[in-house]
Amino acid sequence: MTNAASTNEVAVVLTEQGHSVLATRLPRLELYAQSHGAPIVATGTAYAQAAAEFSALDPRVTA
């Protein structure tokens, strides 16, 4: 969770264990948590940045 005290610490530990960790930190927003499958406009948000990171990892993923 973004801004949690342990966010960066957990990312460091996971990286040290050989896991890939996204650079983008995603905030917990009730707007998205309660969307119930409705379309969400993520342009210009951390969610769009994370999608771009996923796309860069695997070209089969589209942002």
Side-chain angles (χ1 to χ4, degrees), residues 14-58:
L14 289 170
T15 301
E16 289 173 349
Q17 292 177 350
H19 299 281
S20 296
V21 177
L22 296 179
T24 303
R25 300 293 179 253
L26 299 174
R28 167 97 168 126
L29 295 177
E30 291 305 315
L31 167 70
Y32 299 131
Q34 297 179 9
S35 66
H36 302 289
I40 301 170
V41 177
T43 304
T45 68
Y47 294 90
Q49 293 171 356
E53 285 189 62
F54 279 120
S55 293
L57 293 172
D58 187 339

